[in-house]
Amino acid sequence: MERPLTANIRPDREPLDIDGYERAGGYRAVREALQRMTPEDVLAAVTESGLRGRGGAGFPTGQKWSFMPRGEGAPTPRYLIANADEMEPGTFKDRLLLEGDPHLLIEGMIVSAYAIGATTGYIFLRDEYRLAAERLRRALAEAAGRGWLGEHILGTGFSLDIHLHTSAGRYICGEETALINALEGRRAIPRTKPPFPQAVGLWGKPTVVNNVETLCNVPHIVNNGAEWFKGLSRTDNAGTKIYGVSGKVKRPGAWELPMGTTIRELLEEHAGGMRGGYRFRGVLPGGASTDFLVEEHLDAPMDFDAIQKLGSRLGTGTMIVLDDRTCPVAMVHNLEHFFAQESCGWCTPCRDGLPYVEQLLAAIDDGDGRFEDLDLLEMHTRHLGPGRTFCAHAPGAMEPLQSALRWFRDDFERHIAERRCPYR
Amino acid sequence: MLSPEEVAAIEHEVALYDRKRAACIDALKIVQQRRGWISDEDLRDIAGLLEMPVDELDAVATFYNLIYRRPVGRHVVHVCDSVSCWLMGTEAISDRLRERFGVSFGETTADARFTVLPIPCLGCCDRAPAMLVDGNLHADLDPSRVDEVLERYD
Ligand code: SF4
Ligand code: FES
């Protein structure tokens, strides 16, 4: 089984230096793209490959890039930003790439910047990822030293600088327009779309923001072609995926596997099944902002389309497992506490609605809930749902709640009827 | 007053961006690293250097989890309180901190040694529960491991 994204990652996670990386075939895609392909060729290869964004939303990468204005008279400079602000609870996949193979991200950024005509790149990294920052800094210096970055790369007309920006911790910075505000030194609140960042982005110039895992796929697509990339997957959604499992399983971890690996296989084979004494109750398939799935969904392939069909989202592909001895109400309370705290406060429904939802859940969790509270919660899942708020933060927050009210309704009702938490 | 070293470090960052103010998070972090937190006076000085309104810099400074607008202890302990850590027992970790140091989230120990704060997911959910001490990650925690780790910071 091919594992292009993690092929260089060693068990001790010590990354390859530039010599090791080049010996392993690294920076070949830069040569291929810059010397033998036009930017349009690279764009076509990525579009053709069917690569979809790995940050959570799953938007087709080639299509995103195609919104960049092209040709004579298109505004310059243009920017490429790697979104390395991984902060979705339960998600730890980009860290693996950032720490384990920083040159792969840099190579992905060079090829992608070439395709979209960007001359400056930023890696927007969360400040808590200290080890990643250290390794990226070293890798950037090495790449610049070899001439993979800077003026006239490989003697071509293409030049690129990449800077590392470390942020200061706020979930909303993962939203691409809030990230752009943060990078400009403003409060990180989302911007209205349209205009999309590809037209009016960083400092008003065309900008593409891509997730780390997305960018890391690009060199491999250039080297091996779109057909190869599609062939990596078990389903129609192309490529491999870095999946992860956390919670009370025997071996929590992250693994690169074919897109479309089933939830059951991830849980049982890779994560080793549930720990002794615990039984599977449900799972958030792709981080905190996805809907719970339950036992009847275990054979679903983990890809964008299949998980969406079940009413949830692939999200980041890193699953959080709920066991039978953990209270689902308390778990949702924990999740909504996070979302209420991390709301940027820009729009009223989210700023005021999420703390209210959190309070209702706290009351139910503590045995002080009323049956009417369940209707209030249901109402909020609609009023904070898609289209009601400025960005996807609040709708994302409603996903675990609405699905918990559906799959674990009995637990909510028992808390209210018995005036206590039955798990404590 | 910002020291010459602080000014030099901030100007180094300014050069990486197309606009001065873009370096404001870096500037806040540079000053905080040396002084522990950002006072009103520091805020004014940084804003002056970056030619941005003080209020706007404050809006940035108060937005982020890792910028402190109030004094903190010698060491800052950030305990992850997000979902995977919670599932794996983060509450036992904060209980232990409360027992041992007499502090809850947001508080500083009487000897000004530790400030304890909650933090969202540290991207280390496979080794939950996790915490940072002065930015260094400690994972696979249990209450006795917490004691062991904190011994190293005096
Ligand atoms: S939905 Fe929430 S996070 Fe998004 S803009 Fe509104 S307040 Fe901010
Ligand atoms: S939930 Fe604590 S590290 Fe992810």
Side-chain angles (χ1 to χ4, degrees), chain B residues 64-85:
Chain B
Y64 291 96
N65 297 325
L66 300 176
I67 305 288
Y68 317 126
R69 288 285 278 113
R70 276 192 283 165
V72 290
R74 284 201 299 290
H75 305 290
V76 179
V77 181
H78 280 111
V79 182
C80 174
D81 67 350
S82 291
V83 64
S84 303
C85 286

Side-chain angles (χ1 to χ4, degrees), chain A residues 79 87 89-92 95 122 126-130 163 165-170 172-173 182-188 203 246-248 252-253 275 320-321 326 330-331 334-335 337-338 342 344, chain B residues 13 15-19 21-26 29 52 56 58-60 62-67 81-84 86-89 118-127 132 134-137:
Chain A
Y79 299 98
M87 224 168 145
T91 299
F92 48 100
R95 166 180 228 138
Y122 289 99
R126 65 179 297 190
D127 197 35
E128 294 89 338
Y129 280 11
R130 294 276 169 96
H163 305 298
H165 170 91
T166 55
S167 187
R170 201 64 202 259
I172 197 64
C173 291
L183 203 47
E184 288 185 0
R186 297 171 198 286
R187 201 176 176 108
W203 293 300
S246 64
K248 293 215 176 61
R275 290 196 181 186
I320 308 157
V321 176
T326 298
M331 180 168 171
N334 173 281
L335 292 164
H337 167 76
F338 164 81
E342 291 298 319
C344 85
Chain B
E13 295 297 327
L16 301 181
Y17 303 96
D18 291 12
R19 305 275 195 289
R21 65 176 296 157
C24 71
I25 295 173
D26 304 283
K29 289 199 294 191
M52 63 190 283
E56 283 186 30
D58 200 21
V60 173
T62 52
F63 194 75
Y64 291 96
N65 297 325
L66 300 176
I67 305 288
D81 67 350
S82 291
V83 64
S84 303
W86 176 82
L87 282 166
M88 302 307 283
I119 196 160
C121 181
L122 295 169
C124 189
C125 326
D126 51 340
R127 297 174 55 212
L132 296 177
D134 297 345
N136 298 312
L137 183 65

Side-chain angles (χ1 to χ4, degrees), chain B:
Chain B
M1 271 259 290
L2 298 177
S3 70
E5 297 81 63
E6 285 168 329
V7 173
I10 293 171
E11 278 176 348
H12 175 81
E13 295 297 327
V14 167
L16 301 181
Y17 303 96
D18 291 12
R19 305 275 195 289
K20 265 191 164 180
R21 65 176 296 157
C24 71
I25 295 173
D26 304 283
L28 290 164
K29 289 199 294 191
I30 286 165
V31 173
Q32 179 167 289
Q33 202 186 15
R34 289 166 174 81
R35 303 175 184 218
W37 64 293
I38 303 293
S39 67
D40 288 350
E41 196 201 331
D42 296 337
L43 196 75
R44 270 199 309 276
D45 293 345
I46 298 169
L49 186 65
L50 299 179
E51 293 165 22
M52 63 190 283
V54 183
D55 286 352
E56 283 186 30
L57 184 63
D58 200 21
V60 173
T62 52
F63 194 75
Y64 291 96
N65 297 325
L66 300 176
I67 305 288
Y68 317 126
R69 288 285 278 113
R70 276 192 283 165
V72 290
R74 284 201 299 290
H75 305 290
V76 179
V77 181
H78 280 111
V79 182
C80 174
D81 67 350
S82 291
V83 64
S84 303
C85 286
W86 176 82
L87 282 166
M88 302 307 283
T90 204
E91 276 170 1
I93 307 301
S94 30
D95 287 350
R96 183 72 191 130
L97 289 165
R98 215 178 346 257
E99 251 168 54
R100 192 181 157 120
F101 298 106
V103 280
S104 300
F105 284 145
E107 295 175 354
T108 301
T109 52
D111 59 0
R113 194 167 148 213
F114 295 113
T115 296
V116 181
L117 296 167
I119 196 160
C121 181
L122 295 169
C124 189
C125 326
D126 51 340
R127 297 174 55 212
M131 69 178 182
L132 296 177
V133 186
D134 297 345
N136 298 312
L137 183 65
H138 301 277
D140 291 319
L141 295 176
D142 59 43
S144 67
R145 271 268 297 148
V146 169
D147 291 345
E148 217 176 278
V149 167
L150 295 184
E151 287 306 331
R152 289 184 239 156
Y153 297 84
D154 55 35

